Amino acid sequence: MASTTRDSLLQSVRTLLADVERLPENIFDDQVGRQLVQRDLAHLKTATTTPFEGVAELCFQPHQSAAVKIALEGKWFEVLADGRPKTAQDIASATGAEPQLI
């Protein structure tokens, strides 16, 4: 694992900014440019993630994906979209889900 220093992070941020500045106004018109930005972002994330955090992401990512899928299919986000706090019972009542599973 390469050593990450503040200076190396600053250089990575400069590279990211330069790649972003080269993108057209509609970023989706430049697939290669977007991929460069995505690469830069991935590099920054890797450089600032501890080994423990990396392992934790590997362990919990499938669970997070499953939870998002369930919430999308169950329309939970639509219920939460008004920004007001909701209890599990509120979400269950609005979606037909079991409160214990929310």
Side-chain angles (χ1 to χ4, degrees):
M1 181 171 159
S3 176
T4 300
T5 64
R6 186 175 71 78
D7 288 341
S8 68
L9 285 177
L10 286 170
Q11 184 54 49
S12 294
V13 169
R14 288 183 193 103
T15 300
L16 169 63
L17 288 173
D19 288 342
V20 169
E21 287 173 351
R22 282 192 287 275
L23 287 172
E25 188 63 33
N26 181 354
I27 66 168
F28 297 105
D29 289 342
D30 183 357
Q31 181 177 354
V32 172
R34 280 185 307 106
Q35 289 171 340
L36 285 173
V37 169
Q38 291 167 351
R39 180 209 61 201
D40 297 342
L41 290 168
H43 173 77
L44 280 167
K45 183 174 184 326
T46 301
T48 58
T49 300
T50 66
F52 177 82
E53 292 166 339
V55 170
E57 284 180 17
L58 288 173
C59 292
F60 295 110
Q61 184 62 42
H63 300 91
Q64 292 170 349
S65 297
V68 169
K69 182 177 190 240
I70 291 167
L72 285 169
E73 290 176 355
K75 310 278 189 218
W76 297 4
F77 294 118
E78 293 173 22
V79 173
L80 298 169
D82 65 11
R84 288 182 278 170
K86 305 276 190 306
T87 65
Q89 185 60 53
D90 294 335
I91 297 168
S93 296
T95 62
E98 293 291 328
Q100 298 87 344
L101 300 177
I102 296 180

